């Protein structure tokens, strides 16, 4: 573990029968950073988060939070750990304030201190005026914000967020992202999984991409984007799932096929190759059903497709 690492994940493996969910995951998350965790559905993100917070035990490997093993010193570790799960964990027949009173008491908070923290938390997420309303009358975005309050109430040093903005309106989403930035700026370490590429690009200091239970790469946005090289990227709309069609795409000089399916092909055009002016007419002459062609500069989405062969939401 490096001196600045707050979360250290070493050699995590997990199988469900014949299915290997994790295959030796290693990660370090530094103090005060927002660390993004990206991967297609089933890649191993939620399994990893479940092990980091001590809900799921690995077949092998260790998780250290602040140098303490989550399985050897669970009570000490969990006092410093805030968890916001993908599924909203609120009691809908209770008010927002009563929900927070209950969760705060589980962390040993009480009296004036708990009341102050509840008021601060509700104000922080824009729910102060709905503190005494029953949660069943809240919108999806309001429930997500209350869910975030529960993870922050005891002022954790480490915050685990598993897709905290899924299915909510843009205003609630922006509020949650602002709170996450503010929490990290105060020194809290954040491990953040998301299905939104723009969130990872705008929010995270570093990003790990996981697929099939393995970490494929880790780096800053600039470092990951450089993996796409200086090449430009072509997105072709049309049916490209036929193997013969994919072969014709792959045979084009100076072109690398990042993705080809029944709706879209994504091609990387080598900066040292013939260039776009030569490649585009070759594509049009290759007997392909192309309905639209667009050009993109290298970005995180291209890197993701290049490494996993999938769009983020596949």
């Amino acid at each position: 573990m490096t001196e600045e690492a707050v979360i250290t994940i070493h050699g995590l493996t997990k199988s469900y029968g014949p299915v290997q969910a994790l295959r030796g995951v290693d990660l370090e998350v530094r103090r005060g950073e927002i660390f993004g965790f990206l991967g297609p559905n089933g890649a191993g993100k939620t399994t990893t988060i479940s092990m980091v917070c001590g809900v799921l035990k690995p077949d092998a490997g260790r998780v250290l939070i602040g140098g303490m093993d989550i399985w050897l010193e669970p009570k000490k570790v969990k006092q410093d750990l805030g968890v916001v799960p993908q599924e909203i964990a609120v009691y809908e027949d209770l008010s927002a304030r009563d929900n927070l009173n209950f969760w705060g008491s589980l962390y040993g908070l009480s009296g004036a201190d708990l009341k102050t923290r509840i008021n601060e938390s509700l104000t922080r997420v824009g729910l102060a005026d709905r503190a005494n309303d029953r949660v069943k009358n809240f919108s999806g975005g309001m429930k997500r914000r209350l869910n975030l309050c529960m993870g922050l109430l005891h002022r954790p040093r480490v915050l685990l967020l598993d897709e905290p903005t899924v299915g909510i309106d843009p205003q609630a989403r922006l509020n949650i992202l602002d709170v996450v930035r503010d929490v990290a700026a105060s020194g809290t370490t954040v491990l953040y999984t998301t299905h939104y590429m723009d969130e990872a690009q705008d929010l995270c200091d570093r990003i790990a991409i996981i697929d099939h239970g393995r970490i494929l790469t880790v780096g800053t946005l600039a470092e990951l984007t450089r993996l796409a090289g200086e090449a430009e990227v072509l997105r072709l709309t049309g049916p490209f799932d036929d193997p013969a069609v994919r072969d014709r795409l792959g045979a084009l000089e100076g072109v690398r096929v990042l993705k080809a399916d029944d709706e879209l092909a994504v091609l990387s055009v080598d900066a040292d190759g013939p260039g776009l002016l030569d490649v585009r007419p070759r594509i049009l002459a290759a007997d392909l059903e192309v309905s639209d062609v667009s050009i993109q500069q290298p970005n995180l989405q291209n890197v993701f497709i290049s490494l996993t062969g999938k769009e983020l939401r596949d």
Side-chain angles (χ1 to χ4, degrees):
M1 183 177 72
T2 61
E3 185 176 344
E4 62 179 351
V6 174
I7 303 174
T8 302
I9 300 170
H10 179 67
L12 284 190
T13 65
K14 183 67 180 179
S15 295
Y16 300 98
V19 178
Q20 285 187 283
L22 295 183
R23 306 164 183 251
V25 169
D26 295 303
L27 280 178
E28 285 192 350
V29 183
R30 301 165 184 161
R31 187 177 310 280
E33 78 173 337
I34 303 175
F35 189 95
F37 205 34
L38 298 183
N41 287 331
K45 302 186 303 297
T46 296
T47 298
T48 303
I49 289 284
S50 297
M51 292 180 180
V52 173
C53 67
V55 171
L56 184 65
K57 197 163 187 176
D59 297 334
R62 299 182 73 196
V63 175
L64 303 179
I65 308 292
M68 295 182 290
D69 190 301
I70 182 68
W71 291 104
L72 297 179
E73 302 179 86
K75 286 188 177 181
K76 287 184 179 179
V77 172
K78 290 178 182 179
Q79 286 294 324
D80 288 332
L81 198 60
V83 181
V84 181
Q86 187 174 345
E87 298 297 326
I88 296 175
V90 297
Y91 292 105
E92 299 217 349
D93 286 331
L94 298 180
S95 68
R97 184 178 298 280
D98 287 340
N99 267 277
L100 292 172
N101 266 311
F102 171 74
W103 286 104
S105 68
L106 296 181
Y107 282 98
L109 301 174
S110 62
D113 183 36
L114 176 56
K115 183 177 180 180
T116 297
R117 293 193 189 199
I118 289 173
N119 290 337
E120 288 176 351
S121 297
L122 290 172
T123 299
R124 192 176 214 174
V125 300
L127 291 177
D129 60 336
R130 302 295 298 271
N132 298 315
D133 293 355
R134 288 190 178 185
V135 175
K136 65 182 179 182
N137 297 318
F138 283 11
S139 67
M142 293 167 68
K143 291 176 184 177
R144 284 277 175 197
R145 284 184 276 161
L146 180 59
N147 212 39
L148 178 59
C149 269
M150 293 175 178
L152 293 173
L153 193 61
H154 61 296
R155 297 173 185 165
R157 293 196 303 140
V158 177
L159 181 64
L160 309 179
L161 299 169
D162 193 7
E163 299 187 28
T165 63
V166 169
I168 62 175
D169 62 89
Q171 184 176 358
R173 184 181 174 204
L174 290 174
N175 176 271
I176 288 175
L177 298 181
D178 284 343
V179 171
V180 173
R181 290 187 186 97
D182 183 53
V183 166
S186 69
T188 299
T189 301
V190 179
L191 180 57
Y192 190 99
T193 79
T194 180
H195 259 131
Y196 299 112
M197 193 68 73
D198 61 322
E199 284 188 1
Q201 293 185 158
D202 296 341
L203 186 67
C204 299
D205 300 302
R206 289 191 302 143
I207 298 163
I209 296 177
I210 185 173
D211 195 24
H212 298 297
R214 295 186 187 277
I215 301 296
L216 302 181
T217 189
V218 179
T220 64
L221 177 60
E223 288 168 345
L224 296 185
T225 302
R226 281 198 293 272
L227 290 176
E230 298 301 321
E232 292 184 283
V233 174
L234 285 177
R235 294 175 68 91
L236 313 179
T237 303
F240 302 103
D241 54 337
D242 188 314
V245 172
R246 291 200 297 269
D247 288 343
R248 288 201 295 274
L249 285 172
L252 294 170
E253 181 186 354
V255 169
R256 184 163 64 97
V257 180
L258 303 181
K259 175 181 179 175
D261 59 24
D262 60 350
E263 297 179 348
L264 178 72
V266 182
L267 312 178
S268 174
V269 181
D270 192 344
D272 297 325
L276 285 173
L277 291 179
D278 288 336
V279 168
R280 289 185 68 183
R282 293 179 193 179
I283 291 172
L284 297 175
D287 194 25
L288 303 169
E289 295 182 42
V290 179
S291 59
D292 186 58
V293 179
S294 60
I295 302 171
Q296 287 186 336
Q297 294 300 315
N299 58 24
L300 184 57
Q301 176 78 349
N302 300 332
V303 174
F304 189 91
I305 294 172
S306 178
L307 290 171
T308 69
K310 305 178 182 77
E311 299 275 0
L312 184 55
R313 297 198 69 88
D314 285 354

